Amino acid sequence: MPRRMLGILMPILVTTLSASAHVGSSDVFFEGDAGPYHIYVTVRVPQVIPGIAEIQVRSASNEVEKIEIVPMRLSGAGSNFPPTPDVAERSKQDSQFFTGRLWLMESGALKVRVSVEGSKGKGELAVPVPAFAQRTLPMERSLGGLLGLLMVFLAVGLVFIAGAAAREGNLEPGETPSPAKTQRARMVMAITAAVVLGILFLGKTWWGAEATNYKRDVNFFKPPEAETQLENLNRLVIRAKGQDPEWSKEVEMKDVIPDHNHLMHLFLISTPGMDRMWHLHPERAESGAFVDDLPTMLAGHYVVFADIVDKRGFPWTLVGQIDLPEISGKALSGDDSTWTGAPLAAQGDNRSVAELADGGRIVWERGSGPLAANAAMVFKFKVEDRDGNPAKDLQPYMGMAGHAEFVSSDRTVFAHIHPAGSASMAALELANGGPKVNEAITVHHAMPEGMSIPERVSSEVSFPYGFPKPGEYRIFVQIKRAGQVETGVFDAQVQ
Ligand SMILES: [Cu+2]
């Protein structure tokens, strides 16, 4: 009895709050093409695993008739044999909006396959979903008290029922139990009490083991630490250290996979003002550490965010801090970029125009009204040349029209987003069976600089994303124009 009761209670014990796969931003936002249909997908990842993910799909056109969704492993065993898909429910008010709920049964790199049917035939795509237990909250006191009372009532009741059965179970009507029967009943009650206590003890042990495992899981998936060290004046060495001792055995640095051209995307952001930012690409050394010869930088305190993707396609952001002296380093080259400007508070809230060095600008078409937390949005940015016309010189930057980093002023949220959304490009490729499918999603498949013919990129770039909580955010939007990476910075007050 107590065992089964505990089983029912477990999901209540582990009700939770929000945490991360980027940092502090666990929901998945996606925009892309399922065959002929352009769709937006939001996956609200459950805080507990097993748990229910909420899926929202918006179709850009009214040609979609039916949408099916199913969760699967991102790669490896099980990624090719989906269970029976669920049909997403079509909204009665809005025929282009579909919702569904899916059970996610395990932590790790998963994907949700979305199959679309409509007047143009069928289309399909898969959205990578990093699923992980995020936090454990203690059971509410009142509920715990009530359940405790019930348990005592049931346990004591069981002892008395057993006693009564032994004493009076086979009496004739009106007969009183003999002293021998009363004696036997006491024995039975004592044995029953021992058995009940034994079961309760086993239940408690089992509960404790489950809770410990669960806590370990929560710890395992917390953002790992970026241990940083400055060597030889300008060489930054970064080592990954998981919150759980087992982490480095399961996530080996020798196995991390490239994500849009690089094994690591490193962001150094000056704090508290976030008035300087570097986006760099360290190389992996033999030892498994990542190493970068820093460019010339001002002395200061920097927060470190380093994105990597493990071999299963699970994205990790290493988080750290470092005090750097003034560095006279190498010139920026390749995909590395930097920005310097006004600190966060000085910009004023909700600034939506960013001036660029050549007189051009990036304009955030944010619409009117306040920005709400937990709302899926499409962040649209227009790039203008110095005459105010749509810029015609945009090129792919690391294979995409743009990159955006959303950082909260308290640095508890960091999300590196692309036009295809919040999933890493490496995971998107794994989810959709290789880089080929990705061409629909990226502007141009990532190739070493100089090998690809630069394609024209639209002067408008958009990112599907939603702020995970209220607060002040800085948004770094990075694009490439005529061979030069440019960064536009926007501040947002989110309610
Ligand atoms: Cu990027």
Side-chain angles (χ1 to χ4, degrees):
M1 170 69 78
R3 224 187 141 94
R4 201 197 298 156
M5 193 165 82
L6 289 171
I8 295 162
L9 294 188
M10 208 56 194
I12 303 166
L13 174 79
V14 293
T15 312
T16 57
L17 290 175
S18 162
S20 71
H22 295 81
V23 178
S25 191
S26 59
D27 290 343
V28 177
F29 302 90
F30 172 85
E31 173 180 354
D33 296 320
Y37 309 107
H38 196 71
I39 58 172
Y40 299 85
V41 182
T42 302
V43 181
R44 304 279 182 201
V45 180
Q47 314 286 311
V48 291
I49 302 293
I52 294 173
E54 308 219 1
I55 323 289
Q56 299 164 351
V57 185
R58 172 170 291 286
S59 159
S61 72
N62 56 12
E63 296 151 327
V64 172
E65 278 142 26
K66 185 181 171 190
I67 291 180
E68 287 185 334
I69 47 177
V70 62
M72 295 152 78
R73 278 199 195 144
L74 182 63
S75 60
S79 59
N80 293 318
F81 304 101
T84 314
D86 283 21
V87 177
E89 197 178 320
R90 190 177 203 158
S91 162
K92 294 205 170 61
Q93 291 83 40
D94 179 353
S95 65
Q96 284 165 234
F97 191 61
F98 298 75
T99 55
R101 290 154 70 84
L102 294 176
W103 271 99
L104 303 186
M105 299 309 292
E106 58 182 24
S107 300
L110 308 181
K111 63 184 173 186
V112 170
R113 200 185 65 189
V114 182
S115 309
V116 183
E117 267 180 65
S119 57
K120 285 186 179 163
K122 289 184 183 182
E124 193 175 282
L125 59 74
V127 180
V129 175
F132 58 101
Q134 293 172 29
R135 199 184 280 186
T136 315
L137 275 191
M139 192 188 305
E140 253 180 65
R141 266 208 170 164
S142 50
L143 181 67
L146 177 70
L147 293 167
L149 279 178
L150 282 174
M151 185 185 73
V152 171
F153 178 74
L154 288 170
V156 173
L158 203 58
V159 173
F160 278 96
I161 289 167
R167 193 170 55 239
E168 294 156 28
N170 46 6
L171 290 184
E172 295 298 323
E175 193 188 341
T176 47
S178 65
K181 273 195 170 160
T182 309
Q183 186 66 28
R184 214 182 118 229
R186 287 206 186 108
M187 283 279 290
V188 168
M189 282 170 75
I191 292 165
T192 311
V195 170
V196 166
L197 283 176
I199 291 172
L200 285 178
F201 176 75
L202 285 178
K204 187 181 177 322
T205 311
W206 170 80
W207 175 289
E210 285 288 316
T212 306
N213 275 346
Y214 192 84
K215 267 193 202 131
R216 235 209 83 203
D217 239 32
V218 171
N219 231 16
F220 185 89
F221 284 103
K222 276 188 187 151
E225 197 184 325
E227 287 189 330
T228 48
Q229 207 182 333
L230 194 65
E231 286 176 2
N232 305 332
L233 299 172
N234 76 329
R235 170 161 291 194
L236 184 67
V237 180
I238 303 157
R239 287 185 184 83
K241 184 175 169 237
Q243 302 289 331
D244 183 282
E246 295 291 302
W247 186 85
S248 52
K249 285 183 200 150
E250 290 192 40
V251 184
E252 289 181 275
M253 290 305 113
K254 69 174 172 52
D255 294 330
V256 300
I257 58 177
D259 180 17
H260 53 296
N261 297 9
H262 301 282
L263 289 175
M264 176 181 274
H265 293 261
L266 169 69
F267 298 89
L268 295 173
I269 303 172
S270 66
T271 59
M274 293 205 250
D275 48 347
R276 301 192 292 277
M277 184 276 260
W278 274 266
H279 176 175
L280 306 172
H281 303 94
E283 300 285 338
R284 185 175 47 198
E286 282 288 317
S287 62
F290 281 81
V291 180
D292 197 70
D293 290 330
L294 292 176
T296 297
M297 294 172 72
L298 287 176
H301 186 75
Y302 292 87
V303 60
V304 178
F305 296 110
D307 283 342
I308 51 171
V309 179
D310 75 21
K311 65 176 175 203
R312 296 174 196 88
F314 194 93
W316 300 92
T317 300
L318 317 178
V319 180
Q321 310 197 36
I322 189 167
D323 283 306
L324 288 176
E326 187 170 340
I327 287 168
S328 54
K330 60 170 192 181
L332 281 181
S333 62
D335 291 332
D336 290 357
S337 58
T338 185
W339 174 86
T340 304
L344 189 62
Q347 275 220 58
D349 297 331
N350 298 327
R351 216 179 79 137
S352 58
V353 176
E355 309 289 343
L356 301 178
D358 74 335
R361 43 188 222 155
I362 305 180
V363 181
W364 176 16
E365 303 197 292
R366 55 159 297 204
S368 54
L371 296 162
N374 284 311
M377 293 183 262
V378 178
F379 292 78
K380 281 200 175 108
F381 298 90
K382 254 180 12 190
V383 185
E384 295 176 351
D385 64 19
R386 79 177 77 150
D387 303 319
N389 298 317
K392 293 189 183 69
D393 53 358
L394 267 81
Q395 294 169 327
Y397 174 32
M398 292 183 278
M400 283 172 282
H403 306 250
E405 293 89 42
F406 292 74
V407 192
S408 67
S409 61
D410 61 1
R411 276 99 62 201
T412 55
V413 176
F414 171 83
H416 175 178
I417 309 292
H418 299 118
S422 62
S424 79
M425 301 316 291
L428 261 179
E429 288 176 1
L430 276 176
N432 290 287
K436 269 239 119 171
V437 186
N438 214 3
E439 275 172 38
I441 297 160
T442 63
V443 167
H444 187 90
H445 182 58
M447 270 204 256
E449 206 70 23
M451 274 182 69
S452 61
I453 305 152
E455 269 181 45
R456 269 281 206 77
V457 177
S458 156
S459 64
E460 273 191 32
V461 53
S462 65
F463 305 93
Y465 183 63
F467 296 106
K469 61 179 184 183
E472 197 173 9
Y473 289 79
R474 180 152 267 197
I475 309 169
F476 299 90
V477 173
Q478 305 200 281
I479 49 141
K480 194 167 186 177
R481 288 176 61 204
Q484 188 71 36
V485 179
E486 306 226 50
T487 304
V489 173
F490 307 87
D491 290 341
Q493 194 68 41
V494 179
Q495 291 171 5

